[in-house]
Amino acid sequence: MTIATLTTALLVRFAEIVGEAHALTRAEDQAGYLREWRDLYVGRTPVVLRPGSTEEVSKILALANEHEIGIVPQAGNTGLVGGQIPAMRGDEIVLSVSRLNNVRSVDADGGTMIVEAGMTLSEAQAVAEKAGRLFPLSLASEGSAQIGGILATNAGGTAVLSYGNARSFCLGLEAVLADGRVWHGLRTLKKDNTGYDLRDLLIGSEGTLGVITAAALKMLPRPKEIATAIVAIESPEAALKLFRIAEETAGASLTAFEFWARRAMDFAVAHMPGTRDPLAIVHPWYALLEISSNDSGGRADAQLHALLMNASDAGLIRDGALAASMQQARDFWGLRESFSEAQKGAGGSIKHDISVPIARIPEFLERAAAVVEKVCPGARPVPFGHFGDGNLHYNVSQPEGMEKAQYLGLWGAMSDAIHTLVTSMDGSISAEHGIGQMKRDHLVRYKSPVEIEMMRAIKNAFDPKGILNPSKVLERRRPET
Amino acid sequence: MTIATLTTALLVRFAEIVGEAHALTRAEDQAGYLREWRDLYVGRTPVVLRPGSTEEVSKILALANEHEIGIVPQAGNTGLVGGQIPAMRGDEIVLSVSRLNNVRSVDADGGTMIVEAGMTLSEAQAVAEKAGRLFPLSLASEGSAQIGGILATNAGGTAVLSYGNARSFCLGLEAVLADGRVWHGLRTLKKDNTGYDLRDLLIGSEGTLGVITAAALKMLPRPKEIATAIVAIESPEAALKLFRIAEETAGASLTAFEFWARRAMDFAVAHMPGTRDPLAIVHPWYALLEISSNDSGGRADAQLHALLMNASDAGLIRDGALAASMQQARDFWGLRESFSEAQKGAGGSIKHDISVPIARIPEFLERAAAVVEKVCPGARPVPFGHFGDGNLHYNVSQPEGMEKAQYLGLWGAMSDAIHTLVTSMDGSISAEHGIGQMKRDHLVRYKSPVEIEMMRAIKNAFDPKGILNPSKVLERRRPET
């Protein structure tokens, strides 16, 4: 089956909805919407539409649905699995929500805010801060990532450990359905058991069930003090023990437990200007711990310090540095957040975003290294990530001296092998980043048929003509009639 | 449309699946399954089936689906909106999950457990405790309520404030769909973005989209110390201020903030043996605060004490009692948990389970009192509940001396008026208890048509023949073909 072609007459009607200035047809205007930041996915579109209101989004979808035109919703274009990029075929319209960036309301006392989908995560954090509150989601891309995309992908980041991912912070949604009807589900209530959880169905659906236009978000009290440390560890097993002690001691105050291999640090120090190793000598593994406290008076520092002393006495850490200032804490985080970018300096990188039960992380690292060596001898694993969530970005840099393009040609083989291992360990092949285009075919291989059928039944119920982000998450297919 | 009649031949086939001993047809065996504990709902069934495995549940549903026999899933039979009781018509089979009560696995270090749907909440708490962990959901009915029902209704309780409701604790599900297929969605991963959130769709769906047979649940570190206090307050406005200070001071350590009117205390002291007022003189309003800490050394007590001193200095509380022992803390909670039962001593009670934005609680209490007086002069509101979640059980006791049956005849009129008020204040007509039978007709009145249509589309996708818990949540209706 083919999605209908966008005729000139229809193009004019779409442009009339948003106004000429916001219907982009020239190549130079479209460029930024058609390519994702690592150049892994490139697409084409007859027009990029930039609606300025929910009503305009509604009219666009009603028209698209009537004429069976594919719509690719796009927010900040920071997605990592190509979900926001249209197909090269060029028959899908890109619908950018970036102009929907108002704050609709803030209830500082009640700890909730309602913002539109095009607001960046940084802006949302600032709104919360201005209200004396905290919006704790934190991503490296937060200056560009927008709330609509963050919710559509159920983004995670570095603060999930104690605070949770995007799903944990969303109380309600306003979204436009495939046929243009608007679901007014903005609710700021903490407790509401009146029907099916439509909100959580849309969150993480990657634009395939509806276009999120606004969200009611939860804000938390701001911690009074935050203590941060980087420690050196012998092994992943030691990291696991350290994590358990940290969790037991600090409970919900433990707001981050990140982890990485020596090689990640080497690449960062070598390729990212201004980045330095905070410890004196080389160690095989590292962790970054953060404790946040509602108390003033040095409690967070004292608690983290005591934790590290206990861990040291127990032989779990070899060395450590407790941030003595906010700048030093920022440097620690800057180092951690540089690892992905730093890998570029070492050539091609085959990336995985996986999770396994936390207790099995050491086992995974050992078995994955063997898998990598088998697929490509000399390839260099650079594991780093959110240890406390069981989520590692298991990125594999090419062997030194190998031709980059040749190495990247092994992506399919290596991913298959790693994903097979992860699935055999009851893990997830996409812990944070979603499915998009990248993992669509993997999904049918690693999910049960029953689950795929349930998803398809929902997709057919919400979008019978299959116009919302076709070919993302699930194969594009007309439902049986 | 009619659900098919259960013929004797079919009855025999159902009985064969579970074995004669677990296919209950005699009135005295069925009685406990057909009536809910407040006698508000009574039903009839040709047979109560008690399967002993997921496979048996699967066979039951496959057979029911083939012959279009209605199935009413039932767990602990503690639901408060009649969702677990079959219709008086008597053509629906009750499927009890109570025999599915195994612990499948416990990962103490990873903080997860997999248990079956028939396990009681108390048992689940005990499993966690034995593993040195905490399963924080806490309901008055926890000795009887079972995990399947708790998840099907997204139960809340007194520990939602910091810990969250049932949804927050469920990492994955095993469930049987309407046609008998089993969805193997048991996952213990914290982060997994591989497809639609089927888990959250089933949670809170009250048995209308599938029958939950097992769940992967999260366990938390056990707090080392818990401090509890009951305080006397001037007004709901003062309670709101106190709540904000408590939240600001204690953050996630504030694990409960309950609230009630004087009258709730009066009824409890009058009608519940062994219950006493912890304070010396009468006050108009009260709150119960709880702080939980990962630290030992008296930190929780010190923090709660400091909070109360600050609140007292600010004129927000008139008096207070900090529990000096675990027994005293248990007494405080016993008092709070007795309010619902205590109302029986005062005659008929018309009950509401509502939530409004926390900041509007004082306004709600004032306006609701006026509404009650208008519908039934002399009726006595007994508000109590989870102030910190915005959720109040706004229960209204009859005027003294009025005939109970006559008073209960006003239930519809009073509920309509209270629900209209709540909806006008952007609140929920069912904060915790769900929809079941009780609020099914209210749902269509208070939800947008778009939302009802979305729910129906999902229902039709999952259960095209409409056999799962017919007439619960949504009107029973065959989909348009």
Side-chain angles (χ1 to χ4, degrees), chain B residues 331-343:
Chain B
D331 289 344
F332 286 178
W333 276 109
L335 168 65
R336 160 62 184 88
E337 281 163 359
S338 72
F339 295 151
S340 193
E341 182 79 15
Q343 280 189 277

PDB file of all heavy atoms in Angstrom, chain B residues 331-343:
ATOM      1  N   ASP B 331      -0.922   3.011  67.390  1.00  0.00           N
ATOM      2  CA  ASP B 331      -2.208   3.513  67.881  1.00  0.00           C
ATOM      3  C   ASP B 331      -2.676   4.700  67.058  1.00  0.00           C
ATOM      4  O   ASP B 331      -3.853   4.816  66.723  1.00  0.00           O
ATOM      5  CB  ASP B 331      -2.092   3.953  69.358  1.00  0.00           C
ATOM      6  CG  ASP B 331      -1.939   2.769  70.296  1.00  0.00           C
ATOM      7  OD1 ASP B 331      -2.229   1.620  69.875  1.00  0.00           O
ATOM      8  OD2 ASP B 331      -1.525   2.990  71.458  1.00  0.00           O
ATOM      9  N   PHE B 332      -1.740   5.589  66.740  1.00  0.00           N
ATOM     10  CA  PHE B 332      -2.092   6.758  65.921  1.00  0.00           C
ATOM     11  C   PHE B 332      -2.675   6.284  64.580  1.00  0.00           C
ATOM     12  O   PHE B 332      -3.706   6.773  64.126  1.00  0.00           O
ATOM     13  CB  PHE B 332      -0.860   7.631  65.660  1.00  0.00           C
ATOM     14  CG  PHE B 332      -0.403   8.442  66.848  1.00  0.00           C
ATOM     15  CD1 PHE B 332       0.729   9.247  66.745  1.00  0.00           C
ATOM     16  CD2 PHE B 332      -1.095   8.422  68.048  1.00  0.00           C
ATOM     17  CE1 PHE B 332       1.176  10.010  67.831  1.00  0.00           C
ATOM     18  CE2 PHE B 332      -0.660   9.180  69.140  1.00  0.00           C
ATOM     19  CZ  PHE B 332       0.479   9.972  69.030  1.00  0.00           C
ATOM     20  N   TRP B 333      -2.001   5.348  63.957  1.00  0.00           N
ATOM     21  CA  TRP B 333      -2.475   4.843  62.666  1.00  0.00           C
ATOM     22  C   TRP B 333      -3.787   4.068  62.816  1.00  0.00           C
ATOM     23  O   TRP B 333      -4.663   4.128  61.967  1.00  0.00           O
ATOM     24  CB  TRP B 333      -1.412   3.967  61.991  1.00  0.00           C
ATOM     25  CG  TRP B 333      -0.413   4.783  61.233  1.00  0.00           C
ATOM     26  CD1 TRP B 333       0.885   5.005  61.552  1.00  0.00           C
ATOM     27  CD2 TRP B 333      -0.657   5.504  60.019  1.00  0.00           C
ATOM     28  NE1 TRP B 333       1.474   5.823  60.629  1.00  0.00           N
ATOM     29  CE2 TRP B 333       0.560   6.152  59.674  1.00  0.00           C
ATOM     30  CE3 TRP B 333      -1.770   5.685  59.185  1.00  0.00           C
ATOM     31  CZ2 TRP B 333       0.692   6.935  58.541  1.00  0.00           C
ATOM     32  CZ3 TRP B 333      -1.641   6.471  58.060  1.00  0.00           C
ATOM     33  CH2 TRP B 333      -0.416   7.098  57.746  1.00  0.00           C
ATOM     34  N   GLY B 334      -3.890   3.342  63.914  1.00  0.00           N
ATOM     35  CA  GLY B 334      -5.135   2.601  64.158  1.00  0.00           C
ATOM     36  C   GLY B 334      -6.312   3.550  64.233  1.00  0.00           C
ATOM     37  O   GLY B 334      -7.396   3.271  63.705  1.00  0.00           O
ATOM     38  N   LEU B 335      -6.107   4.677  64.905  1.00  0.00           N
ATOM     39  CA  LEU B 335      -7.152   5.699  65.005  1.00  0.00           C
ATOM     40  C   LEU B 335      -7.538   6.162  63.598  1.00  0.00           C
ATOM     41  O   LEU B 335      -8.709   6.143  63.204  1.00  0.00           O
ATOM     42  CB  LEU B 335      -6.633   6.876  65.839  1.00  0.00           C
ATOM     43  CG  LEU B 335      -7.466   8.161  65.834  1.00  0.00           C
ATOM     44  CD1 LEU B 335      -8.827   7.927  66.482  1.00  0.00           C
ATOM     45  CD2 LEU B 335      -6.724   9.271  66.584  1.00  0.00           C
ATOM     46  N   ARG B 336      -6.529   6.563  62.824  1.00  0.00           N
ATOM     47  CA  ARG B 336      -6.791   7.064  61.462  1.00  0.00           C
ATOM     48  C   ARG B 336      -7.530   6.026  60.620  1.00  0.00           C
ATOM     49  O   ARG B 336      -8.451   6.352  59.863  1.00  0.00           O
ATOM     50  CB  ARG B 336      -5.449   7.475  60.823  1.00  0.00           C
ATOM     51  CG  ARG B 336      -5.451   7.572  59.297  1.00  0.00           C
ATOM     52  CD  ARG B 336      -6.423   8.624  58.766  1.00  0.00           C
ATOM     53  NE  ARG B 336      -6.449   8.589  57.315  1.00  0.00           N
ATOM     54  CZ  ARG B 336      -7.261   7.794  56.598  1.00  0.00           C
ATOM     55  NH1 ARG B 336      -8.118   6.973  57.199  1.00  0.00           N
ATOM     56  NH2 ARG B 336      -7.222   7.826  55.282  1.00  0.00           N
ATOM     57  N   GLU B 337      -7.141   4.769  60.738  1.00  0.00           N
ATOM     58  CA  GLU B 337      -7.723   3.739  59.878  1.00  0.00           C
ATOM     59  C   GLU B 337      -9.089   3.264  60.341  1.00  0.00           C
ATOM     60  O   GLU B 337      -9.727   2.453  59.674  1.00  0.00           O
ATOM     61  CB  GLU B 337      -6.731   2.569  59.728  1.00  0.00           C
ATOM     62  CG  GLU B 337      -5.647   2.904  58.708  1.00  0.00           C
ATOM     63  CD  GLU B 337      -4.424   2.012  58.796  1.00  0.00           C
ATOM     64  OE1 GLU B 337      -4.388   1.124  59.673  1.00  0.00           O
ATOM     65  OE2 GLU B 337      -3.488   2.213  57.996  1.00  0.00           O
ATOM     66  N   SER B 338      -9.533   3.797  61.482  1.00  0.00           N
ATOM     67  CA  SER B 338     -10.829   3.355  61.997  1.00  0.00           C
ATOM     68  C   SER B 338     -11.986   4.229  61.532  1.00  0.00           C
ATOM     69  O   SER B 338     -13.151   3.892  61.749  1.00  0.00           O
ATOM     70  CB  SER B 338     -10.788   3.364  63.531  1.00  0.00           C
ATOM     71  OG  SER B 338     -10.794   4.711  64.002  1.00  0.00           O
ATOM     72  N   PHE B 339     -11.683   5.344  60.892  1.00  0.00           N
ATOM     73  CA  PHE B 339     -12.730   6.332  60.616  1.00  0.00           C
ATOM     74  C   PHE B 339     -13.857   5.796  59.747  1.00  0.00           C
ATOM     75  O   PHE B 339     -15.024   6.092  59.984  1.00  0.00           O
ATOM     76  CB  PHE B 339     -12.141   7.592  59.964  1.00  0.00           C
ATOM     77  CG  PHE B 339     -11.206   8.361  60.841  1.00  0.00           C
ATOM     78  CD1 PHE B 339     -10.173   9.102  60.302  1.00  0.00           C
ATOM     79  CD2 PHE B 339     -11.361   8.354  62.229  1.00  0.00           C
ATOM     80  CE1 PHE B 339      -9.287   9.818  61.112  1.00  0.00           C
ATOM     81  CE2 PHE B 339     -10.494   9.056  63.049  1.00  0.00           C
ATOM     82  CZ  PHE B 339      -9.447   9.791  62.486  1.00  0.00           C
ATOM     83  N   SER B 340     -13.514   5.027  58.713  1.00  0.00           N
ATOM     84  CA  SER B 340     -14.536   4.546  57.799  1.00  0.00           C
ATOM     85  C   SER B 340     -15.497   3.601  58.515  1.00  0.00           C
ATOM     86  O   SER B 340     -16.716   3.756  58.451  1.00  0.00           O
ATOM     87  CB  SER B 340     -13.870   3.835  56.611  1.00  0.00           C
ATOM     88  OG  SER B 340     -14.795   3.631  55.591  1.00  0.00           O
ATOM     89  N   GLU B 341     -14.933   2.659  59.228  1.00  0.00           N
ATOM     90  CA  GLU B 341     -15.721   1.700  59.996  1.00  0.00           C
ATOM     91  C   GLU B 341     -16.549   2.406  61.074  1.00  0.00           C
ATOM     92  O   GLU B 341     -17.699   2.057  61.321  1.00  0.00           O
ATOM     93  CB  GLU B 341     -14.751   0.694  60.639  1.00  0.00           C
ATOM     94  CG  GLU B 341     -15.382  -0.407  61.437  1.00  0.00           C
ATOM     95  CD  GLU B 341     -15.931  -1.525  60.576  1.00  0.00           C
ATOM     96  OE1 GLU B 341     -15.566  -1.581  59.371  1.00  0.00           O
ATOM     97  OE2 GLU B 341     -16.729  -2.325  61.091  1.00  0.00           O
ATOM     98  N   ALA B 342     -15.943   3.413  61.688  1.00  0.00           N
ATOM     99  CA  ALA B 342     -16.588   4.101  62.811  1.00  0.00           C
ATOM    100  C   ALA B 342     -17.894   4.779  62.409  1.00  0.00           C
ATOM    101  O   ALA B 342     -18.809   4.932  63.215  1.00  0.00           O
ATOM    102  CB  ALA B 342     -15.642   5.136  63.408  1.00  0.00           C
ATOM    103  N   GLN B 343     -17.975   5.163  61.142  1.00  0.00           N
ATOM    104  CA  GLN B 343     -19.178   5.866  60.703  1.00  0.00           C
ATOM    105  C   GLN B 343     -20.416   5.000  60.780  1.00  0.00           C
ATOM    106  O   GLN B 343     -21.539   5.514  60.880  1.00  0.00           O
ATOM    107  CB  GLN B 343     -18.998   6.352  59.256  1.00  0.00           C
ATOM    108  CG  GLN B 343     -18.180   7.620  59.157  1.00  0.00           C
ATOM    109  CD  GLN B 343     -18.212   8.164  57.752  1.00  0.00           C
ATOM    110  OE1 GLN B 343     -17.460   7.729  56.893  1.00  0.00           O
ATOM    111  NE2 GLN B 343     -19.105   9.104  57.506  1.00  0.00           N
TER     112      GLN B 343
END
